[in-house]
Amino acid sequence: MPTVRAYAAHVPSAPLAPFTLERRAPGPNDVAIDILYCGVCHSDIHQARDEWGKGIFPMVPGHEIVGRVSAVGAEVTGFKPGDAVGVGCFVDSCRTCAHCDAGEEQYCIEGMTGTYNAFERGTKTPTYGGYSQAITVDAGYVLRIPEGLPLDRAAPLLCAGITTYSPLKHFGVKAGDRVAVVGLGGLGHMAVKLAAAMGAIVTVLSTSEAKRADAAALGAHDFAATRDGKVFKARAGEFDFIIDTVSAEHDYNAYLNLLKVDGTMVLLGIPEVPAPVAAGALIMKRRRLVGSLIGGIRETQEMLDFCAAHGVASDIELIRADQVNEAYERMIKGDVRYRFVIDCASLAG
Ligand code: NAP
Ligand code: ZN
Ligand code: ZN
């Protein structure tokens, strides 16, 4: 049982601080991974501060994990020591329900087992995430990082990448579609890159005028600032598809009005509080308001291969583990360009 160093939220009200934990020795179907990089997702903040409730503390966040295999169990055939691998938002599921069968483990009827803030299946052993030096995961929940993807810039693909790729694919966004991305943070910047790589015409809707030039550099064709509200009249009825990645409370109706007839808005951001939706905003133009949760293992591998083929990776700011509290504060202010990634070598101390 190797002891590894980590960074944890010991309680929801305090900054994250050093922590040590035990990782299980690999069982027959397990892959032991030395973690190189872990992205910092806004979901880490929501959970470390217990904004969604029922958090399990101490909590080691982190579900955008990239590392190298250090050992494999006797039954594992798909991975060998030295392989570059990834772990995303879940490390297990029931493996027998219709959704697990369909490769959509995130919608497992019994509930997926989160990479952190969960218990290993059938036990009271907490799962701990990627702000740590190593992790042991069942081979069925480990991703292969394709050749050519830089490992630090690949880490955010494990959540921000798949969370935006999955609805683009599922709802059939195609070349020439007019797509708006609301909120240019970790998820938002991946949505821009992926939608542009699929041939969509992408507009960024942002509260930060200062991100205009970045939006173009990321591949967006157009940018509109939202703070003064003018865009909501000027661009009404323009978009086929809107990807809403906003982490804080905001007015869904204003954005719904930007959709065409039969347009779809997908909610990805999970604000702490619910927000009202006006029936008319949907009815008058037969619009759809939907949600989407990360993506299954098969689709995550497809997304990684797509990124390698199209030269897509996250734009990152590499930080030490002891800078994570500062990173949280900057993310809350929308000051992220465009994903903080922890260099887990900094945990060695
Ligand atoms: P992030 O990097 O912090 O980006 C969020 C962006 O939202 C900010 O950069 C900002 O962009 C915008 N924003 C923030 N506060 C706002 C406000 N009050 N009004 C309008 N816009 C605001 O966060 P992230 O990691 O991309 O995560 C975004 C959300 O998705 C979080 O709630 C997270 O929990 C959730 N999430 C969901 C899934 C899923 O499966 N559905 C997966 C991962 C994360 P601008 O400066 O451009 O306005
Ligand atoms: Zn995430
Ligand atoms: Zn299941």
Side-chain angles (χ1 to χ4, degrees):
M1 291 260 290
T3 302
V4 307
R5 292 173 191 243
Y7 243 68
H10 292 255
V11 291
S13 53
L16 274 67
F19 181 67
T20 52
L21 60 94
E22 305 289 320
R23 292 300 191 188
R24 67 176 187 264
N29 296 304
D30 280 341
V31 177
I33 301 164
D34 286 334
I35 301 177
L36 295 170
Y37 302 107
C38 184
V40 178
C41 178
H42 208 111
S43 301
D44 299 348
I45 306 178
H46 291 307
Q47 292 174 90
R49 298 188 174 183
D50 213 18
E51 292 173 3
W52 297 339
K54 298 193 177 157
I56 302 162
F57 293 87
M59 181 190 298
V60 176
H63 57 207
E64 294 184 336
I65 299 169
V66 165
R68 289 207 181 269
V69 175
S70 59
V72 297
E75 305 291 323
V76 174
T77 54
F79 299 98
K80 59 178 188 324
D83 285 355
V85 293
V87 178
C89 296
F90 56 90
V91 290
D92 207 350
S93 64
C94 87
R95 309 175 192 213
T96 55
C97 76
H99 301 289
C100 285
D101 266 357
E104 295 196 317
E105 302 89 347
Q106 75 275 32
Y107 301 122
C108 176
I109 297 286
E110 288 186 11
M112 63 180 177
T113 303
T115 302
Y116 68 89
N117 198 15
F119 294 107
E120 290 184 8
R121 282 194 113 63
T123 76
K124 282 283 159 202
T125 308
T127 59
Y128 291 120
Y131 300 2
S132 62
Q133 292 177 302
I135 190 167
T136 306
V137 179
D138 184 285
Y141 298 80
V142 177
L143 286 307
R144 179 171 304 287
I145 306 298
E147 286 284 322
L149 277 182
L151 298 185
D152 49 357
R153 298 181 58 208
L157 302 178
L158 277 307
C159 176
I162 183 59
T163 300
T164 48
Y165 180 90
S166 184
L168 285 165
K169 293 292 289 214
H170 183 80
F171 294 104
V173 171
K174 56 188 188 310
D177 282 357
R178 301 196 73 95
V179 171
V181 174
V182 186
L184 196 59
L187 264 59
H189 95 291
M190 287 313 308
V192 170
K193 289 183 183 226
L194 290 166
M198 291 173 189
I201 302 163
V202 183
T203 299
V204 168
L205 303 177
S206 171
T207 61
S208 311
E209 175 62 41
K211 294 180 183 172
R212 182 182 288 272
D214 288 353
L218 291 164
H221 306 83
D222 195 5
F223 177 97
T226 51
R227 267 202 205 285
D228 65 9
K230 285 186 192 148
V231 67
F232 296 108
K233 264 202 171 156
R235 313 294 285 267
E238 181 171 320
F239 300 103
D240 297 292
F241 198 70
I242 297 179
I243 302 179
D244 182 341
T245 75
V246 175
S247 51
E249 191 178 5
H250 60 293
D251 179 13
Y252 294 138
N253 304 296
Y255 292 96
L256 282 169
N257 280 316
L258 301 181
L259 287 173
K260 289 179 184 168
V261 171
D262 285 328
T264 300
M265 178 157 106
V266 61
L267 300 184
L268 299 180
I270 313 170
E272 196 176 349
V273 290
V277 174
L282 298 171
I283 289 171
M284 299 312 283
K285 294 213 175 344
R286 200 168 54 196
R287 295 165 171 136
R288 276 172 294 232
L289 177 61
V290 300
S292 184
L293 177 65
I294 46 175
I297 294 294
R298 193 163 62 216
E299 194 173 45
T300 304
Q301 190 63 60
E302 178 188 305
M303 176 275 310
L304 289 166
D305 296 342
F306 177 94
C307 286
H310 289 80
V312 171
S314 175
D315 285 20
I316 65 164
E317 196 173 320
L318 203 61
I319 59 168
R320 298 185 310 272
D322 64 10
Q323 292 174 294
V324 72
N325 294 302
E326 193 189 319
Y328 279 14
E329 291 310 320
R330 283 184 51 194
M331 285 170 74
I332 287 163
K333 285 188 268 173
D335 178 20
V336 50
R337 297 208 169 36
Y338 277 88
R339 197 56 136 186
F340 292 106
V341 171
I342 298 173
D343 180 352
C344 292
S346 67
L347 286 161

